[in-house]
Amino acid sequence: MPASSAKVRIGVIGLGQRGKDLFGLLQEMDDVEIAAVSDLYEDRLHKAAEAAQNASKPKPSLYLNYKELLAREDIEGVIVASSWTSHAEIAIAAMRAGKYVGSEVGGAASIEECWELVRTSEATGVPCMLLENCCYGRSEMAVLNMVRQGLFGELIHCRGGYLHDLREEVAKGIENRHYRIHNYLNRNGDLYPTHGLGLPAACLNINRGNRIVSVASIASKSRGINEWAGEHLGPDHRAARSPIELGDIVTTMMKCAHGETILLTHDTSLPRPYSRAGQIQGTKGVWMEDGNSIYIDGASPAHEWEKFDSYLERYEHPVWQRFLNDGVKGGHGGMDYLVLRDFVDCVKSRSTPPIDVYDMATWMAVTVLSEQSVHAGGAPVAFPDFTNGKWIERSEPMLASTFGA
């Protein structure tokens, strides 16, 4: 269903760095009015009001308590960009208030809250979308386009992850009011699985004819954050002397119902360049993000990698063809704009989001299951079926509103 041209009224909950960025992008959309914002800190609320004024936009209502924002009958959808462990709580409350939900990413705190997300959406009929921007990357979309055209043959194995040097961000978390540090101090598992899982899940039709059946995780020892903090912030700084529960490298292997495997890596506490470590491998070829590499059996030189560039141009997804032609907008190379655009269009057309509540529950649950496996010495943990068997019959592919069936 095409979106209408009328303005949609949105509320933004959480105005840290990520929420501030999304607020700015939404302000640039002519068919969006940010009616209200909420944050625990007054200074962030006032900065949002100032940003609206500077952009010659209506000043949003300001709330310290997000429940007051949800009580507004004129708000149609909400963006949840608060701390990780509050995403599910706020999303559930928003659905009960009849608001379309676009939730930022992060791992779940419990399996119970994942089930409550699903059951609330089913009971209320209100959709919930996970705003996983990495699904909208140019390379990711081209690779998925290739998968759906059969270029890699039958898929066997996929990889992904979050490989990002966050030592400074984590070590300075308390003084910068950033919630990530508290997770590192208290949890050991893949805390941030969705950036790396999005593309494999789409390629393998997870929750749509396939599902993840088990998870096994192992964590290394923890040294990176303490050493960085001791060197740069001093030996008496809390981040230097407090034991970090999270292992520097967490490796997670997942098995799918049809025999495929997915390998995820969480690596944020050691020096390294950024990567999501993408890899899609099938009976006819393999793509690897690192090295910008591809090999297609019978097309590539024998036993030699090719650069992905020519394939990217040849299999550019139509969405990115239009995006490049019209002018790329938004953060992270355009991904942020595209994921927000899909959410806004779904709110306006009252349609099912491309990354739905079953995906959100499944991807977020990896964190909890990974923690359980780490504490069990790497033993496999059974993966809940949040669709209650509906995955067998669901046929519309993930990201259908963007990518086409």
Side-chain angles (χ1 to χ4, degrees):
M1 181 187 301
S4 69
S5 59
K7 282 201 173 189
V8 61
R9 293 173 65 82
I10 298 291
V12 178
I13 300 174
L15 293 166
Q17 185 59 53
R18 186 59 178 158
K20 183 177 71 172
D21 291 345
L22 297 181
F23 177 90
L25 282 176
L26 288 167
Q27 277 193 312
E28 296 174 7
M29 297 183 184
D30 292 336
D31 56 349
V32 172
E33 179 184 341
I34 302 177
V37 294
S38 175
D39 196 275
L40 295 174
Y41 300 105
E42 288 192 23
D43 61 307
R44 292 177 177 174
L45 291 172
H46 294 311
K47 286 179 181 177
E50 182 180 346
Q53 182 179 10
N54 291 340
S56 300
K57 299 288 185 178
K59 178 185 175 182
S61 299
L62 311 179
Y63 299 102
L64 289 168
N65 187 336
Y66 74 84
K67 294 180 181 178
E68 295 181 49
L69 182 152
L70 296 181
R72 291 268 298 266
E73 294 185 1
D74 60 326
I75 292 176
E76 301 166 77
V78 295
I79 299 292
V80 180
S82 54
S83 59
W84 291 345
T85 53
S86 67
H87 288 174
E89 171 195 325
I90 297 173
I92 289 163
M95 286 188 283
R96 288 174 177 164
K99 319 297 185 190
Y100 261 62
V101 178
S103 174
E104 259 302 325
V105 301
S110 70
I111 297 300
E112 288 75 14
E113 72 176 8
C114 295
W115 275 115
E116 192 171 359
L117 273 169
V118 169
R119 289 168 177 154
T120 301
S121 183
E122 290 177 338
T124 61
V126 178
C128 183
M129 177 177 173
L130 186 68
L131 300 177
E132 182 42 83
N133 60 340
C134 292
C135 289
Y136 292 79
R138 185 182 177 190
S139 292
E140 283 87 347
M141 293 181 78
V143 168
L144 183 53
N145 196 24
M146 294 173 68
V147 167
R148 291 184 174 166
Q149 293 186 42
L151 269 294
F152 297 103
E154 181 181 357
L155 296 191
I156 305 296
H157 177 71
C158 299
R159 291 182 60 184
Y162 189 56
L163 289 67
H164 192 182
D165 184 352
L166 295 176
R167 292 174 295 168
E168 180 174 4
E169 177 180 303
V170 174
K172 294 181 177 179
I174 292 177
E175 46 264 58
N176 291 337
R177 299 183 301 190
H178 197 294
Y179 49 83
R180 195 186 295 262
I181 177 61
H182 301 292
N183 288 269
Y184 281 52
L185 288 168
N186 294 287
R187 309 176 74 184
N188 195 8
D190 192 325
L191 300 182
Y192 207 60
T194 69
H195 276 354
L197 183 55
L199 179 61
C203 290
L204 295 173
N205 298 314
I206 299 302
N207 293 330
R208 295 160 178 80
N210 199 1
R211 80 177 189 94
I212 303 170
V213 297
S214 66
V215 172
S217 295
I218 295 176
S220 75
K221 60 187 175 183
S222 176
R223 294 291 185 272
I225 301 297
N226 290 146
E227 287 195 7
W228 188 94
E231 180 178 350
H232 293 86
L233 304 177
D236 294 329
H237 190 276
R238 176 176 177 177
R241 55 184 172 78
S242 298
I244 302 294
E245 181 68 16
L246 178 66
D248 286 348
I249 306 287
V250 179
T251 305
T252 299
M253 180 65 79
M254 292 179 277
K255 185 70 177 289
C256 299
H258 296 313
E260 307 92 345
T261 52
I262 303 172
L263 178 65
L264 291 184
T265 303
H266 185 274
D267 170 4
T268 62
S269 301
L270 298 170
R272 59 157 304 115
Y274 179 86
S275 173
R276 293 193 289 278
Q279 178 178 321
I280 305 297
Q281 189 165 12
T283 57
K284 298 297 183 182
V286 55
W287 164 80
M288 292 183 63
E289 174 190 349
D290 292 338
N292 190 38
S293 303
I294 191 168
Y295 181 84
I296 301 296
D297 194 27
S300 302
H303 307 292
E304 292 184 17
W305 291 107
E306 292 186 84
K307 288 298 182 182
F308 183 59
D309 298 346
S310 62
Y311 288 85
L312 175 62
E313 294 178 6
R314 196 182 321 166
Y315 295 98
E316 190 88 72
H317 193 277
V319 167
W320 265 93
Q321 291 177 9
R322 294 192 297 270
F323 203 26
L324 291 165
N325 184 64
D326 296 340
V328 174
K329 306 173 184 177
H332 292 103
M335 299 188 300
D336 294 352
Y337 179 86
L338 288 176
V339 70
L340 276 180
R341 191 64 254 171
D342 251 5
F343 173 69
V344 169
D345 287 344
C346 285
V347 176
K348 294 175 68 176
S349 62
R350 317 305 292 176
S351 56
T352 301
I355 307 173
D356 65 19
V357 72
Y358 300 112
D359 304 316
M360 181 174 176
T362 299
W363 300 2
M364 289 176 60
V366 170
T367 293
V368 182
L369 301 172
S370 172
E371 288 180 285
Q372 293 174 2
S373 180
V374 167
H375 287 298
V381 176
F383 208 111
D385 173 16
F386 293 107
T387 74
N388 276 321
K390 290 190 283 291
W391 65 273
I392 298 173
E393 300 297 334
R394 297 178 86 211
S395 58
E396 186 176 66
M398 187 184 301
L399 299 162
S401 68
T402 294
F403 289 88

